[in-house]
Structures are given as structure tokens and as C-alpha cells.
Amino acid sequence: MALLSELATEIVIPVCAVIGIAFSFVQFVLVSRVKVTPERHAPPQSVNNNKNGYGEYLIEEEDGINDQNVVAKCAEIQNAISEGATSFLFTEYQYVGVFMVAFAILIFLFLGSVKGFSLKNQPCTYDAEKLCKPALATAVFSTVSFVLGALTSVLSGYLGMKIATYANARTTLEARKGVGKAFITAFRSGAVMGFLLAANGLLVLYITINLFKLYYGDDWEGLFEAITGYGLGGSSMALFGRVGGGIYTKAADVGADLVGKVERNIPEDDPRNPAVIADNVGDNVGDIAGMGSDLFGSYAESSCAALVVASISSFGINHDFTAMCYPLLISSMGILVCLITTLFATDFFEIKAVKEIEPALKKQLIISTVLMTVGIAIVSWVALPSSFTIYNFGVQKVVKNWELFLCVGVGLWAGLVIGFVTEYYTSNAYSPVQDVADSCRTGAATNVIFGLALGYKSVIIPIFAIAVSIFVSFSFAAMYGIAVAALGMLSTIATGLAIDAYGPISDNAGGIAEMAGMSHRIRERTDALDAAGNTTAAIGKGFAIGSAALVSLALFGAFVSRAAISTVDVLTPKVFIGLIVGAMLPYWFSAMTMKSVGSAALKMVEEVRRQFNTIPGLMEGLAKPDYATCVKISTDASIKEMIPPGALVMLTPLIVGIFFGVETLSGVLAGSLVSGVQIAISASNTGGAWDNAKKYIEAGASEHARSLGPKGSDAHKAAVIGDTIGDPLKDTSGPSLNILIKLMAVESLVFAPFFATHGGLLFKIF
């Protein structure tokens, strides 16, 4: 038996979750101490105290640090951004709510009809002597867990957006005191989101399992089949959040850049640009609310995949609750580890110069990974019996607890490798992005060619990392190994999300500084925060894609077991047609999302041009642009355009499963996984590299960058074009693809019993 008793497990998991929620509350209180209401400053007592750049106070006095107008203006802009984001999310959630209800009914009908809605107990799938709860119960509880997952996902996205819009102006105001202060504010706000999300996801899942246990009793196989709905709910909301938010943010961004920077030669985030508020709202709804839901979905699904496989292994058969909760214990340990890691960035060390920002964020990843390795070892030692069996396609495979530790560890370190490779290819501190910037000398075309090449090249190492972790974890512990490897990658989710949310918050802070007319020096500081944020956003996407690949493979394994397929043979025509069609789906999906961004951006460009041409005194800064119309264009376009891509992902498994059966569906899942990962990595890295190549030229920090010209030079214009092309790649298509991969797999898993009994209509007719 495990060292940790069942009672201890029941206590440890919720306690860790509550600690996570408490910690995020503490961080929130610290952020809220920065006031956004104008107040009179007492003159600083000690000018020579140079800690964190306070000594610059004297120079700042001339910049008008006490300028009431600046503070009031920041508050006003923050308000506009917050209102825009809230109203968009409410509109989006109304549409998504309708879908949620419809899909919940669908789950109930499909799963209930497996045994003709009978209430009789049925023999268990894996042990015919015992009786299990009826299929109707699975239908009811799957529907409940689907709704719970969906609500948790929506909540995590919404809370993330709220804290980000709360923190953006505070970061701007802190930037007057030095870059270190601003960094801490932005990072703390990111941490609020990261910890809330990790703890919420864990707590809701834990409570759900315990409530379902009251009904299911000893039928753990049925219990954890019903829990899979939680992952489906989480990811289906994430899909709409990611696609809708992505279209919103990029329509505004592309519209603002094309007319503002390229045609009118005004700087980014200039208050004269009508699309500028919509652009800043977009950062919050796409990068923050979308990302939050997305990573929550990954987390929920990898937990579900591990639990499903474990329930038909010795953990479930012997009713060893502690070992069964191994995935949840890893996540609990993750919260504690990330808590310590966060203190390293905010309390143990201080940032004094711009060049320390990116290393500080990288250290977060390294510290959390190293500490988590120790944490996993402890959890594996106390929670697992020394030897146990794991279900592996019909046979039970004997596994030792140290082998499972290696599975989780390999996932964790693969995540770190993917993070660092992504950083190498997207940060302007390294040669790949500098080469892309250099190619802007000869115009936009060479910039595009170099950028695409960089994206394709950046796929190589992450794929090897994923391949190694799949091989190692599968060799040790079959499909369960892959599921816990995915959990390992996501175990430091709180830190990963803090780093990720930091990016859009500092992006917004820069926008607010520009719009409030703050001095050049403050804008330089926020730009430095923002450039580091761009890279961390790319790292976050790398994590999301890598974990999505592992998660969907684990879900695929669970689906194959649950649909009672013994082998998936590529050489049978049924499977092969699925494979080739599945590989096509990411392209179809990307085409839809990019076209949506294009057409929404077109409307935005026309509106911005119209305002510049018809509002007298707008260019001179005498008249105010009509921000609300641009916000409305983005909102309407994204709500309308998110439906078709969403429908494509949600309906494909249903159509394939019902008409072509489970073998073809297994082919489709494998195909979409294999091609989706490549496109997702290359798209987000290409976009990130173009964005930072543009930032590299604008910052002019090195001799080489200065030779490419100031803002407005030909090379800079070419870089802006590359950045604009990359926008839909890195913020709409790329990040949404990982949801496509996971969502199709988890949906197939939930509906597997239905497909296995009633699916394959076309092949039955002929």
C-alpha cells in the first residue's frame, strides 16, 4: 500500500488548492496597493537610496511625476479597456451558453441511448462478473461534469481578464518609479491568474470526484468515465474563447497597425488611432481569457485521461484511492512548488535594469522545473505502491513507482526544452530573430521568406522532445505514462500562466503610457517589459502545444480502450482514409480562422480610414476618435466568425464516429494530432519572431539594429508588414490548433460507448 493514507489524501488535495487560492488573493491585495486615483505626493525622503531606481526621482520631477492629469488619464483608459473586455466576454458567453446547453443535451441523449435508456445495472466492461451502474447514469453524470468543466473554464478566463485589466494601468504608473517596480506589479497580477486557475481546476475536479463517488460507490470505472465530461467542457469553452478572442484581438491589431503605422506614420498605441482601445481590449480577451481557458482545458483533460486509464488498472480494481489520485496529488504539489518559485521573482531578488527582465522570467521556468522534479519524487514515493499494474490495450502491465516518476519527469523536462527552444527562436537576443530583422533591408518579401523558414525550423527540436517523452513514458507505463507525462508538463501551470499573462499586461501598460502621453523614458521601460512579454507569450504557447500533443495522445489511448479497439492498423483502408482526412483538418481550421481575421481586419481598416478622413482635427490631436465603433466591429466580427471553426471541430468526431465508426475516427484523431502540432508550433514561432524582429529594429539597442533605421525607415516598414502577417498566425490559428487536437480526442473519448454500439452507419449499410 501507499505511505499516504486515504484520509491524508482527502485532506492534502483541497488544502493545497485552498493555499493556492489564498496566495493569489495575497498577490491581488499587493497589486491593489498601487493607487490609480490622483493624490498629492510628499517629496521623497532619501534621494540617494538607489534601490530599484528610486534615485531617478529628481529627474522625474521634471517629467511631471506628480502630474494629476496623467494619473486620471491612465484611470480613464483602463476603464475603457476593462469595459470593452467585459462587454465582449459577456456577449461571447451568451452565445457559448446556448451551445453549452445544446451540447449537454446531446451528450445525455447519445450516451443514454447506448443501452436504450435502461436503468438496470450492467456487467462491467473489464470484469464481467461484477455489476456496474447503468449507462444512463454515465450519461447523466457525464453531462453534469461537462457543465462543471465548462463553467470552470469560463470562470478562469473571466477572472484572468478581470485581474489583467485591473493591473495594466497600475503597471504603467509603477513604471515611473523604475522598471523593477513595474515588473513586479505585472508579474504579480499574472500570478493571481495562474494560481486561481490551477487551484480552481484542481478543487472543482476533486469535489466532483467525491460527489460522484457518493452515487457510484465501488464502481470506479463508471465514475471516472463520467468524469471525462469535465475535460470536454473545459476544452470546448476554451475553443470558443481562443478563436473568438483571437479574431477580436487581431482584427483590431492589424487594422490599427496598417492604417496607423504604415499609412499615417503615427506610433503604435497613439491615442489618435481609433482602433487603439479595441487593440488593447483584444490583448485581454485573446491572450488572457483565451489562454486561461486553453491551459485549464489541457489540465482538466490530462487529469481525466490519467484517471480513466487508472480506473481500469490495479489502482481502480483494488480501490486504492491514494494511488488513484496520483494525478491530483501531482497538481497539488505543483501549486506549492510554483508558490515558492513566484517568491523568487517578486521577493527574493530585485530587478534593477532592463536587461534583467528576460533572465528573471527564464529563471522562473528553471526553478519551478528543478523544484518540481523533487516534488514529483516525493509524491511518487508516498502516494504509489512500490509495484502495481497498468492497463495496456487488453493486458495488465507491471509498473514500479520509480518508473512512473520518470514518466512525469520526462514530461516536465520536455516542457522546459520546448520553452527554451521557443525562446531561442522568438527572442531578439538571439541570432534567428536578428537574421529575420536583417532581411528587412531588402523589403517585406525577404522578411516573410526568412520568417517562414524560421518557423518551420523551430519545429524540429520540440518534436524530438515530444517524441522522446512519448517513447519513454509509453515504454514504462503505457497510456497512463503518457497521461502523467502531460500532467508533468502542466504541473508548473501556475508559474507558466503567470509568465504568460505577464506579456499582455505589460503590452497594455505600454499602450496606456503612450495614450496618456507619458514621457519617452517611461515608454522605453514599458517597451522593454513588453518585448520580454512577447517571448514569454511564445513560451506559453509552446507549453500549451507540447502538452496538447501529449494530452491528446493519452486521450487517444483512453478512447481506443473505451471503444474496445484492439489495434489501430494504418494499412486498413478505413483507418488510412481517416488518417489523411485528419491530417487535413488543421489546414481547414487555420484557413477559416485566418480568413476571419482578414475579413474582420478589412472592416476595421475601412472604419479607421473613414475616421481619419472625415473627423476634422483628428490627425492634429484636436478631436477625439470614435473608439466605440471600432470595439463594436471587433466584437461583432469575432462572435460571428467564431461559429464555423468551432462547429468544424465539434462536429467532425460526431460525423465521423456516427457514419464511419470508431476505426476511421481513430485514424482522424491520429492524423489531426500529427499535422496539427507541426502547424501550431511553426505558426506561433513565425509570428513571434516577426513581432520581435520589429521590436528589435524599433528599440535600436545594438549597432546592427540602429543600422536598420529608426521607426519609419524602409526596413522598419518591412518589419511592420511581417509583424502584421504574423499576427493571425501567432495569436489566432497557432494557439487555437492545440485546442482542435485535444478537443477532438476528448470528445471522441466521451462519446466512445455510443460510437462503439451505434457508429459506422455507412459501413453497416454496404
Side-chain angles (χ1 to χ4, degrees), residues 618-637:
L618 180 57
M619 269 308 277
E620 292 75 46
L622 304 170
K624 270 183 89 167
D626 175 9
Y627 297 128
T629 314
C630 291
V631 172
K632 189 171 173 357
I633 287 179
S634 259
T635 304
D636 295 348

Side-chain angles (χ1 to χ4, degrees), residues 377-442:
I378 296 169
V379 172
S380 307
W381 181 55
V382 299
L384 296 173
S386 57
S387 166
F388 44 90
T389 64
I390 293 287
Y391 180 85
N392 177 21
F393 298 124
V395 290
Q396 294 283 359
K397 176 185 168 96
V398 178
V399 182
K400 299 193 161 38
N401 58 1
W402 61 267
E403 294 180 326
L404 214 48
F405 158 68
L406 287 179
C407 293
V408 187
V410 77
L412 178 69
W413 285 90
L416 187 70
V417 169
I418 293 174
F420 275 125
V421 171
T422 309
E423 197 233 6
Y424 174 71
Y425 279 107
T426 55
S427 162
N428 50 28
Y430 303 105
S431 59
V433 170
Q434 292 175 7
D435 291 345
V436 171
D438 192 57
S439 70
C440 293
R441 288 175 194 282
T442 44

Side-chain angles (χ1 to χ4, degrees), residues 9-18 21 141 144-145 148-149 152 155 198-216 223-224 227 230 296 299 303 307 321 325 328 332:
T9 309
E10 293 273 13
I11 295 168
V12 164
I13 296 173
V15 164
C16 288
V18 171
I21 292 170
F141 284 106
V144 172
S145 61
L148 279 172
T152 313
L155 185 72
N200 263 341
L202 178 65
L203 198 58
V204 176
L205 182 59
Y206 172 78
I207 292 171
T208 313
I209 291 173
N210 276 317
L211 290 177
F212 284 13
K213 224 164 83 179
L214 298 177
Y215 169 80
Y216 276 103
L223 165 66
F224 290 105
I227 287 286
Y230 185 70
F296 165 73
Y299 165 75
S303 306
L307 292 167
F321 186 73
C325 283
L328 299 179
S332 310

Side-chain angles (χ1 to χ4, degrees), residues 260-411:
K261 282 201 256 184
V262 178
E263 292 178 10
R264 296 275 166 173
N265 253 339
I266 56 178
E268 191 166 359
D269 296 315
D270 190 292
R272 293 170 293 184
N273 194 332
V276 65
I277 293 281
D279 183 7
N280 281 304
V281 170
D283 291 334
N284 293 301
V285 292
D287 290 353
I288 294 218
M291 188 71 184
S293 294
D294 179 2
L295 277 174
F296 165 73
S298 276
Y299 165 75
E301 281 158 345
S302 53
S303 306
C304 291
L307 292 167
V308 168
V309 180
S311 69
I312 50 181
S313 305
S314 64
F315 300 161
I317 297 163
N318 307 337
H319 293 96
D320 180 354
F321 186 73
T322 304
M324 195 67 218
C325 283
Y326 181 64
L328 299 179
L329 287 164
I330 288 180
S331 308
S332 310
M333 180 56 97
I335 290 176
L336 301 180
V337 163
C338 291
L339 198 150
I340 298 167
T341 311
T342 305
L343 296 177
F344 274 97
T346 55
D347 297 275
F348 298 156
F349 297 109
E350 284 208 75
I351 287 190
K352 296 190 181 63
V354 166
K355 59 176 185 295
E356 294 173 22
I357 300 173
E358 227 167 274
L361 292 167
K362 271 163 53 179
K363 278 190 200 122
Q364 285 287 299
L365 288 177
I366 298 171
I367 294 168
S368 63
T369 305
V370 172
L371 291 177
M372 193 61 205
T373 311
V374 179
I376 297 166
I378 296 169
V379 172
S380 307
W381 181 55
V382 299
L384 296 173
S386 57
S387 166
F388 44 90
T389 64
I390 293 287
Y391 180 85
N392 177 21
F393 298 124
V395 290
Q396 294 283 359
K397 176 185 168 96
V398 178
V399 182
K400 299 193 161 38
N401 58 1
W402 61 267
E403 294 180 326
L404 214 48
F405 158 68
L406 287 179
C407 293
V408 187
V410 77

Side-chain angles (χ1 to χ4, degrees), residues 16-30 187-188 191-192 194-196 199 335 338-344 346-347 494:
C16 288
V18 171
I19 288 174
I21 292 170
F23 183 70
S24 71
F25 186 70
V26 170
Q27 295 294 332
F28 178 74
V29 171
L30 289 171
F187 189 80
R188 277 201 168 126
V192 175
F195 282 93
L196 264 184
I335 290 176
C338 291
L339 198 150
I340 298 167
T341 311
T342 305
L343 296 177
F344 274 97
T346 55
D347 297 275

Side-chain angles (χ1 to χ4, degrees), residues 711-732:
K711 289 188 183 184
S713 69
D714 285 346
H716 177 249
K717 280 190 171 159
V720 170
I721 292 172
D723 173 33
T724 313
I725 301 170
D727 274 337
L729 285 172
K730 78 174 194 312
D731 288 327
T732 314

